[in-house]
Amino acid sequence: MEYKWLKKEGNNSLIVFFNGWGMDEGIIKHLELKEQDLLMFYDYNNLNLKLDLSELNKYNEIHLIAWSMGVMIATLFDIDYDTKTAINGTLKPIDDNYGIPERIYNLTVKNFSPKGRDVFIRNMFNGENIHITNQREFNNQKSELESLMQYKSNLDFKYDKILISDNDKIIPTKNQINFWKTGANIKGGHAPFVLFNSWSELL
């Protein structure tokens, strides 16, 4: 697992962002951030944590924002958050009723190709602005897909805020609703960040 400080200026408040499969900071770099630091985790080919979490103890507030597969991964690390937001993900992200149906996920892994990746990413954005830069390499993304099949959430982890898009073509909206027992509250696709201007809107 990789991490990157996207903003580290000694603020009292920190946002920890667990990214989704295959992405880097390009998907969220447009979001405005005021008087908060920002730490991103991504690339879940393994779960070896290279960051000493005690470094986070200096913050008075820590806010979690987890998206897609990051909703599952975030549950596996012991960080004391003040708020926890899940965006278009569940604690069972590969599941016929609560996530991506297993058959579809397995076929995605089996048939993964550069062309297939491009189709997948277009489906993530659901016709919204997809001019997003991404520096992740194809083989790295492919192996991450395979690795994600091995992980299981901490089902005792509780999110405070749930954001669900009404037209998610990756983790079906109906399956997210089944898991969280709440309705869709974003008009958009799986990657809704282009619909927001600032991190504060997601807290």
Side-chain angles (χ1 to χ4, degrees), residues 6-7 30 33 37 54 64 66 68 70 79 95 104-105 112 119 122 130 133 137 140 142 159 175 189 193 200:
L6 300 180
K7 184 179 178 183
H30 67 285
L33 183 64
D37 288 348
S54 66
L64 169 64
S68 190
I79 301 174
D95 186 278
I104 292 175
Y105 195 94
F112 197 64
V119 170
R122 284 199 299 273
I130 60 172
T133 59
E137 295 181 352
N140 178 267
K142 181 179 180 180
Y159 280 93
N175 284 6
F193 300 103
S200 62

Side-chain angles (χ1 to χ4, degrees), residues 17-21 23-28 40-44 65-71 73 193:
F17 176 57
F18 276 81
N19 212 335
W21 165 84
M23 296 292 107
D24 59 17
E25 67 269 26
I27 199 168
I28 43 85
M40 177 185 71
F41 290 102
Y42 67 109
D43 187 353
Y44 308 124
I65 297 177
W67 170 58
S68 190
M69 289 294 181
V71 172
I73 300 298
F193 300 103

Side-chain angles (χ1 to χ4, degrees), residues 106-172:
N106 291 336
L107 285 173
T108 301
V109 172
K110 180 179 179 181
N111 299 321
F112 197 64
S113 65
K115 182 178 180 180
R117 175 186 61 179
D118 293 343
V119 170
F120 188 95
I121 291 176
R122 284 199 299 273
N123 285 336
M124 283 174 51
F125 286 90
N126 195 27
E128 294 140 2
N129 181 1
I130 60 172
H131 298 293
I132 303 294
T133 59
N134 190 322
Q135 303 302 316
R136 297 282 300 278
E137 295 181 352
F138 171 79
N139 288 334
N140 178 267
Q141 291 173 318
K142 181 179 180 180
S143 61
E144 186 182 13
L145 269 181
E146 297 167 348
S147 295
L148 286 165
M149 299 170 71
Q150 311 304 318
Y151 307 144
K152 301 295 182 184
S153 296
N154 170 12
L155 295 177
D156 293 326
F157 193 93
K158 304 298 183 185
Y159 280 93
D160 309 311
K161 182 176 180 178
I162 310 300
L163 297 178
I164 301 174
S165 291
D166 65 354
N167 194 15
D168 194 323
K169 296 179 180 178
I170 304 302
I171 301 180

Side-chain angles (χ1 to χ4, degrees), residues 21-72:
W21 165 84
M23 296 292 107
D24 59 17
E25 67 269 26
I27 199 168
I28 43 85
K29 66 180 181 180
H30 67 285
L31 293 175
E32 182 181 355
L33 183 64
K34 293 182 178 179
E35 298 179 354
Q36 289 176 304
D37 288 348
L38 177 60
L39 172 64
M40 177 185 71
F41 290 102
Y42 67 109
D43 187 353
Y44 308 124
N45 272 286
N46 61 67
L47 297 184
N48 297 329
L49 187 61
K50 301 175 183 179
L51 175 69
D52 182 358
L53 291 178
S54 66
E55 187 175 346
L56 308 186
N57 292 337
K58 63 184 179 182
Y59 290 97
N60 294 334
E61 296 180 353
I62 302 178
H63 303 278
L64 169 64
I65 297 177
W67 170 58
S68 190
M69 289 294 181
V71 172
M72 168 180 67

Side-chain angles (χ1 to χ4, degrees), residues 74-88:
T75 72
L76 303 178
F77 297 95
D78 187 16
I79 301 174
D80 186 15
Y81 297 107
D82 292 276
T83 64
K84 294 170 283 189
T85 299
I87 305 172
N88 287 335

